[in-house]
Every structure is written in C-alpha cells, then in structure tokens.
Amino acid sequence: MIKVVVWNEFRHEKTKDSVKAIYPDGLHAVIKGFLDKEEDMEVTLAALDDPDQGLPDEVLENTDVLIWWGHMAHAEVDDALVSKIQKRVYEGKMGFVPLHSGHHSKPFRKIIGTNGNLSWGRNQKEIMWTLMPAHEIAAGIPDHFLIEEEELYSEPFYIPQPDELVFGAWFEDGHIMRAGACFYRGGGKVFYFQPGHETCKSFYNPYVQRIITNAVRWAAPNKESYEIPSGCVHVKTKTVDEFNA
Ligand code: ZN
C-alpha cells in the first residue's frame, strides 16, 4: 500500500463562500475522494490548523507520498517541519507532490532550491498539453485536454530546469507555463502540477485526477531497492584487471 497524506492549508474553504461552495469539506477531501478509489493507496488528510500542523513525526515517518496545497499561509508553516520534509525526500523515503500555489510553499522551495516565482492573472480557459506521452504520469491522458476555468499561471517560472517536463499549458490570454514538472532530488522524487486554484473546479476534472493519481504512484519510494549513501565507502571494488579476468 502507498500511504498518501493530502496536506491542505484549509483556510480559504472556511473563510470564503465562493470556495466553500466548490469544496465544502476542503479541496483535500476531494483529492482523497478520488485517490480512495485506488486499491493500492491508503489516504489520510492533514491540515495546517491540526496539531503539529497536521504532520507530527509519527505521521510524517509513515508517509510515502505527501501531496501539498497551500496559498495564503505559507509563512506559517514551521521551518523545522519543512526541514524534516526535505530530509525525508532527499533520503528517498517519501515523494512530494505540490499542487498549484504550492509553487511558493516552503517545502517546494527548500527541496528544489529556487524561489518558485511566477506570474499570475485572471481565471480563464487552459489547454493542458502532454509533452511526454510515454511518461508514467501521462498514462491515460490524451495529447491535450481543456480545463474550462483555471487561474492564469505564466512563465517565467523560477524553477531549476525540470528533470522531466511532462505537461505544458496554454492559456486563453496567450501565456504558457511548465505545468507538470518532475524533479529528482537526492533519493526522492517531486512532481509539481499547476491546476488547482481554490475558486476553480479543476480537482473534479477526470484528467487532473488521473494525473495526480499517476503522480502518487510515480513518486512513491521504491522500498525494495533504495539504499541511502551515508558516508565513506569501505568496500573495495574490483580492479580493472579483476574485471577483465
Ligand atoms: Zn490560485
């Protein structure tokens, strides 16, 4: 089983009626709702206002993939928690999937190493293009699909060059965006995915749901094989002569 935690700041849904109308139980509940249909996933919810900001050590240490949605309260996330998240990803024990405004979240910035800045604008039509059809995260996704309404996110997006760029977005106003980007960091994997503004219904879109589901499987650590390099190597390798013998 892949143990998934869907972490949500969970503030907009409590304070804005327009958001509450779309995500009455929080957008994380909708994400859990579609992931719960997967037989290989065990999904729990966490929120910023929960004890230990939703991620006490015993929860974090049991998480295979952490999905992250934050926006208005990035600064409130505890720096010690952010360091623990980064460490767990670098050690290959946990995958990290920041969504939408998670581009500015502390854990995403700390893991990838840049500020994640981008430009944004009014809600509008978006076309998501699949740039790597053979990628595991693009399984079951057509060459492009329409998102009826999403917040404009635009390049330049200040991320390191992605290791794999799986999706690119076009917006009605003519902007483009690296919308689905994979990063390998240490022994772990990160997938940033752009849709998911709190006043839009993108988390109900079946293709968005499929991409997030695929991303969870892709980002899950390979427990069978990972080994954490942790210092000086004492085992002598073969010499060239021994290899040739
Ligand atoms: Zn937004």
Side-chain angles (χ1 to χ4, degrees), residues 12 69 71 100-101 120 123 150-151 153 194 196-199:
H12 290 292
W69 197 102
H71 180 225
H100 187 61
S101 38
W120 64 91
N123 291 0
E150 187 46 79
E151 182 180 29
Y153 267 20
Q194 159 265 315
H197 185 60
E198 68 273 9
T199 61

Side-chain angles (χ1 to χ4, degrees), residues 63-143:
T63 303
D64 296 321
V65 178
L66 179 61
I67 296 176
W68 192 277
W69 197 102
H71 180 225
M72 64 193 285
H74 290 315
E76 292 180 40
V77 177
D78 182 47
D79 289 325
L81 173 61
V82 174
S83 292
K84 287 180 201 170
I85 292 168
Q86 181 204 37
K87 181 170 184 282
R88 197 164 163 76
V89 171
Y90 282 9
E91 287 179 346
K93 293 175 179 171
M94 185 176 81
F96 184 63
V97 180
L99 301 172
H100 187 61
S101 38
H103 74 91
H104 254 168
S105 65
K106 282 186 185 177
F108 182 56
R109 293 176 177 206
K110 190 165 176 89
I111 291 166
I112 65 163
T114 59
N115 60 22
N117 285 357
L118 49 77
S119 302
W120 64 91
R122 68 177 182 97
N123 291 0
Q124 58 194 267
K125 278 195 173 68
E126 172 181 1
I127 295 177
M128 187 69 71
W129 288 91
T130 304
L131 306 179
M132 291 184 69
H135 199 282
E136 188 181 340
I137 300 178
I141 305 300
D143 63 356

